[in-house]
Amino acid sequence: RSGPTGSAHGDAPADRIGDAFSRDEFARRGHHRLTTDATKVYFTDTGTGNIGAVAKSGGAVLMLATAQSKPVSIAVDDTYAYWSNNLGGAVVRTLKAGGDTVHTMVAATNPTDIVIDSTYVYFLEAGSVDIMRAPKVGGSSATIFASPPMLSSFEFMVSDGVAIYATGSTGA
């Protein structure tokens, strides 16, 4: 089955996100970003501040964290879920299996988009012209790329595990 809320396995209704949300409710509630691993879909809910996961085949939502400060982007590796707390000024993580506390990886001003590789978490700051990175185990951030002068900010980025691709705004 195809579509943004569909299951690759075809055993959950096309208009549902797990057992918890209809497609329309998902959009209304302020869910911001999604990512997947082999078995689950992970999401941020900017409206409630929750981070959750649901099996691709459907089922109950596993809450990984609640009451976060405007969680925006999310990424997962084999062990952790990482997200940006835009108003909380941090990039954080917790065990993607649940049952863990939230750990601050790096302080930031207003982090938005994040991507990860095997060693680092990369993030954008709202309105920033730089791509930042910090060790996934925590620590200080460093600028790894400053945007060209024609851009006023980076907006979104993705990674294929080898390179980071980012889009920007000219402010025009």
Side-chain angles (χ1 to χ4, degrees), residues 119-150:
T119 307
Y120 295 100
V121 58
Y122 301 85
F123 62 97
L124 301 176
E125 292 272 15
S128 174
V129 295
D130 300 333
I131 297 175
M132 310 294 290
R133 82 171 182 194
K136 285 169 60 177
V137 297
S140 299
S141 64
T143 300
I144 63 157
F145 184 81
S147 73
M150 75 282 263

Short mmCIF file of all heavy atoms in Angstrom, two decimals, residues 119-150:
data_model
loop_
_atom_site.label_atom_id
_atom_site.label_comp_id
_atom_site.label_asym_id
_atom_site.label_seq_id
_atom_site.Cartn_x
_atom_site.Cartn_y
_atom_site.Cartn_z
N THR A 119 28.38 8.64 14.10
CA THR A 119 29.14 9.33 15.14
C THR A 119 28.50 10.62 15.62
O THR A 119 28.59 10.96 16.80
CB THR A 119 30.56 9.65 14.63
OG1 THR A 119 31.15 8.45 14.13
CG2 THR A 119 31.44 10.22 15.71
N TYR A 120 27.86 11.36 14.72
CA TYR A 120 27.40 12.71 15.03
C TYR A 120 25.90 12.89 14.80
O TYR A 120 25.29 12.20 14.00
CB TYR A 120 28.12 13.74 14.16
CG TYR A 120 29.60 13.82 14.43
CD1 TYR A 120 30.51 13.18 13.60
CD2 TYR A 120 30.09 14.53 15.52
CE1 TYR A 120 31.87 13.25 13.85
CE2 TYR A 120 31.45 14.61 15.77
CZ TYR A 120 32.34 13.96 14.93
OH TYR A 120 33.68 14.02 15.18
N VAL A 121 25.36 13.89 15.51
CA VAL A 121 24.05 14.45 15.20
C VAL A 121 24.31 15.82 14.59
O VAL A 121 25.11 16.60 15.11
CB VAL A 121 23.14 14.52 16.45
CG1 VAL A 121 23.74 15.35 17.56
CG2 VAL A 121 21.76 15.03 16.09
N TYR A 122 23.69 16.06 13.45
CA TYR A 122 23.83 17.33 12.72
C TYR A 122 22.52 18.09 12.88
O TYR A 122 21.45 17.48 12.83
CB TYR A 122 24.10 17.07 11.25
CG TYR A 122 25.34 16.26 11.01
CD1 TYR A 122 25.31 14.87 11.05
CD2 TYR A 122 26.56 16.87 10.77
CE1 TYR A 122 26.45 14.11 10.86
CE2 TYR A 122 27.72 16.12 10.58
CZ TYR A 122 27.65 14.74 10.63
OH TYR A 122 28.79 14.00 10.44
N PHE A 123 22.60 19.40 13.05
CA PHE A 123 21.37 20.16 13.25
C PHE A 123 21.47 21.55 12.68
O PHE A 123 22.56 22.09 12.47
CB PHE A 123 20.97 20.20 14.73
CG PHE A 123 21.96 20.89 15.63
CD1 PHE A 123 21.79 22.21 16.00
CD2 PHE A 123 23.05 20.20 16.15
CE1 PHE A 123 22.69 22.84 16.85
CE2 PHE A 123 23.95 20.82 17.00
CZ PHE A 123 23.77 22.14 17.35
N LEU A 124 20.29 22.07 12.40
CA LEU A 124 20.16 23.45 11.95
C LEU A 124 19.54 24.26 13.08
O LEU A 124 18.75 23.74 13.85
CB LEU A 124 19.22 23.53 10.73
CG LEU A 124 19.61 22.74 9.50
CD1 LEU A 124 18.51 22.86 8.45
CD2 LEU A 124 20.94 23.21 8.95
N GLU A 125 19.90 25.51 13.16
CA GLU A 125 19.27 26.45 14.09
C GLU A 125 18.28 27.29 13.28
O GLU A 125 18.56 27.64 12.14
CB GLU A 125 20.32 27.38 14.70
CG GLU A 125 21.30 26.70 15.63
CD GLU A 125 20.80 26.64 17.06
OE1 GLU A 125 19.60 26.88 17.30
OE2 GLU A 125 21.62 26.35 17.94
N ALA A 126 17.13 27.60 13.87
CA ALA A 126 16.14 28.43 13.17
C ALA A 126 16.78 29.73 12.72
O ALA A 126 17.41 30.42 13.52
CB ALA A 126 14.95 28.71 14.09
N GLY A 127 16.66 30.02 11.44
CA GLY A 127 17.20 31.26 10.89
C GLY A 127 18.71 31.29 10.74
O GLY A 127 19.28 32.31 10.40
N SER A 128 19.38 30.18 10.98
CA SER A 128 20.83 30.14 10.93
C SER A 128 21.34 29.91 9.51
O SER A 128 20.63 29.39 8.67
CB SER A 128 21.37 29.03 11.83
OG SER A 128 22.78 28.89 11.66
N VAL A 129 22.56 30.28 9.30
CA VAL A 129 23.21 30.04 8.02
C VAL A 129 24.27 28.95 8.13
O VAL A 129 25.09 28.78 7.24
CB VAL A 129 23.84 31.34 7.46
CG1 VAL A 129 22.76 32.34 7.13
CG2 VAL A 129 24.84 31.93 8.43
N ASP A 130 24.25 28.20 9.22
CA ASP A 130 25.27 27.18 9.46
C ASP A 130 24.64 25.80 9.69
O ASP A 130 23.54 25.70 10.22
CB ASP A 130 26.11 27.52 10.69
CG ASP A 130 26.84 28.84 10.56
OD1 ASP A 130 27.14 29.24 9.42
OD2 ASP A 130 27.10 29.46 11.60
N ILE A 131 25.39 24.76 9.33
CA ILE A 131 25.06 23.39 9.73
C ILE A 131 26.00 23.05 10.88
O ILE A 131 27.21 23.20 10.77
CB ILE A 131 25.23 22.39 8.58
CG1 ILE A 131 24.26 22.72 7.44
CG2 ILE A 131 25.02 20.95 9.07
CD1 ILE A 131 24.45 21.85 6.20
N MET A 132 25.41 22.62 11.99
CA MET A 132 26.17 22.32 13.19
C MET A 132 26.25 20.81 13.39
O MET A 132 25.42 20.06 12.86
CB MET A 132 25.48 22.95 14.41
CG MET A 132 25.12 24.41 14.27
SD MET A 132 26.56 25.48 14.16
CE MET A 132 27.19 25.34 15.81
N ARG A 133 27.22 20.35 14.18
CA ARG A 133 27.26 18.94 14.56
C ARG A 133 27.77 18.83 15.98
O ARG A 133 28.49 19.70 16.49
CB ARG A 133 28.11 18.12 13.61
CG ARG A 133 29.58 18.16 13.87
CD ARG A 133 30.32 17.17 13.03
NE ARG A 133 31.73 17.23 13.37
CZ ARG A 133 32.69 16.70 12.67
NH1 ARG A 133 32.41 16.04 11.56
NH2 ARG A 133 33.93 16.80 13.05
N ALA A 134 27.39 17.72 16.61
CA ALA A 134 27.85 17.39 17.95
C ALA A 134 27.94 15.88 18.05
O ALA A 134 27.22 15.16 17.35
CB ALA A 134 26.88 17.93 19.00
N PRO A 135 28.81 15.36 18.90
CA PRO A 135 28.89 13.91 19.07
C PRO A 135 27.57 13.33 19.57
O PRO A 135 26.89 13.95 20.39
CB PRO A 135 29.98 13.73 20.12
CG PRO A 135 30.74 15.02 20.14
CD PRO A 135 29.77 16.08 19.74
N LYS A 136 27.20 12.16 19.09
CA LYS A 136 25.97 11.51 19.53
C LYS A 136 26.00 11.14 21.00
O LYS A 136 24.95 10.96 21.61
CB LYS A 136 25.68 10.27 18.68
CG LYS A 136 25.17 10.62 17.30
CD LYS A 136 25.12 9.46 16.34
CE LYS A 136 24.27 8.33 16.75
NZ LYS A 136 24.21 7.26 15.73
N VAL A 137 27.17 11.05 21.58
CA VAL A 137 27.29 10.75 23.00
C VAL A 137 27.18 12.01 23.85
O VAL A 137 27.23 11.94 25.07
CB VAL A 137 28.61 10.01 23.32
CG1 VAL A 137 28.64 8.66 22.62
CG2 VAL A 137 29.81 10.86 22.93
N GLY A 138 27.04 13.17 23.20
CA GLY A 138 26.95 14.44 23.89
C GLY A 138 28.24 15.21 23.81
O GLY A 138 29.29 14.66 23.52
N GLY A 139 28.14 16.51 24.03
CA GLY A 139 29.32 17.35 23.99
C GLY A 139 29.04 18.66 23.30
O GLY A 139 27.90 19.03 23.05
N SER A 140 30.10 19.35 22.95
CA SER A 140 30.00 20.66 22.33
C SER A 140 29.66 20.55 20.84
O SER A 140 30.01 19.58 20.19
CB SER A 140 31.32 21.42 22.47
OG SER A 140 31.63 21.60 23.83
N SER A 141 29.02 21.60 20.34
CA SER A 141 28.72 21.64 18.91
C SER A 141 29.80 22.43 18.18
O SER A 141 30.52 23.23 18.78
CB SER A 141 27.36 22.28 18.67
OG SER A 141 27.35 23.63 19.09
N ALA A 142 29.89 22.18 16.90
CA ALA A 142 30.83 22.90 16.03
C ALA A 142 30.15 23.15 14.70
O ALA A 142 29.33 22.34 14.25
CB ALA A 142 32.09 22.07 15.82
N THR A 143 30.47 24.27 14.08
CA THR A 143 29.97 24.56 12.75
C THR A 143 30.76 23.74 11.75
O THR A 143 31.98 23.76 11.75
CB THR A 143 30.13 26.05 12.42
OG1 THR A 143 29.40 26.81 13.38
CG2 THR A 143 29.64 26.36 11.02
N ILE A 144 30.05 22.99 10.90
CA ILE A 144 30.76 22.21 9.88
C ILE A 144 30.58 22.78 8.49
O ILE A 144 31.33 22.46 7.59
CB ILE A 144 30.33 20.73 9.88
CG1 ILE A 144 28.87 20.58 9.52
CG2 ILE A 144 30.68 20.07 11.19
CD1 ILE A 144 28.53 19.22 8.98
N PHE A 145 29.57 23.65 8.32
CA PHE A 145 29.36 24.27 7.03
C PHE A 145 28.60 25.57 7.22
O PHE A 145 27.54 25.59 7.83
CB PHE A 145 28.57 23.35 6.09
CG PHE A 145 28.42 23.89 4.70
CD1 PHE A 145 29.45 23.77 3.79
CD2 PHE A 145 27.26 24.53 4.32
CE1 PHE A 145 29.32 24.27 2.50
CE2 PHE A 145 27.12 25.04 3.04
CZ PHE A 145 28.15 24.91 2.13
N ALA A 146 29.15 26.65 6.69
CA ALA A 146 28.46 27.93 6.68
C ALA A 146 27.84 28.12 5.31
O ALA A 146 28.47 27.84 4.29
CB ALA A 146 29.44 29.06 6.98
N SER A 147 26.60 28.56 5.29
CA SER A 147 25.91 28.68 4.00
C SER A 147 26.54 29.77 3.15
O SER A 147 27.13 30.71 3.66
CB SER A 147 24.43 28.97 4.21
OG SER A 147 24.24 30.30 4.65
N PRO A 148 26.39 29.64 1.84
CA PRO A 148 26.91 30.67 0.93
C PRO A 148 26.19 31.99 1.17
O PRO A 148 25.05 32.01 1.65
CB PRO A 148 26.58 30.11 -0.46
CG PRO A 148 26.04 28.75 -0.27
CD PRO A 148 25.78 28.52 1.17
N PRO A 149 26.81 33.11 0.81
CA PRO A 149 26.24 34.43 1.07
C PRO A 149 24.85 34.65 0.47
O PRO A 149 24.08 35.46 0.98
CB PRO A 149 27.24 35.40 0.45
CG PRO A 149 28.51 34.63 0.35
CD PRO A 149 28.13 33.19 0.22
N MET A 150 24.51 33.94 -0.60
CA MET A 150 23.20 34.17 -1.22
C MET A 150 22.05 33.58 -0.42
O MET A 150 20.90 33.90 -0.67
CB MET A 150 23.16 33.66 -2.67
CG MET A 150 23.08 32.15 -2.82
SD MET A 150 24.62 31.33 -2.58
CE MET A 150 25.28 31.08 -4.15
#
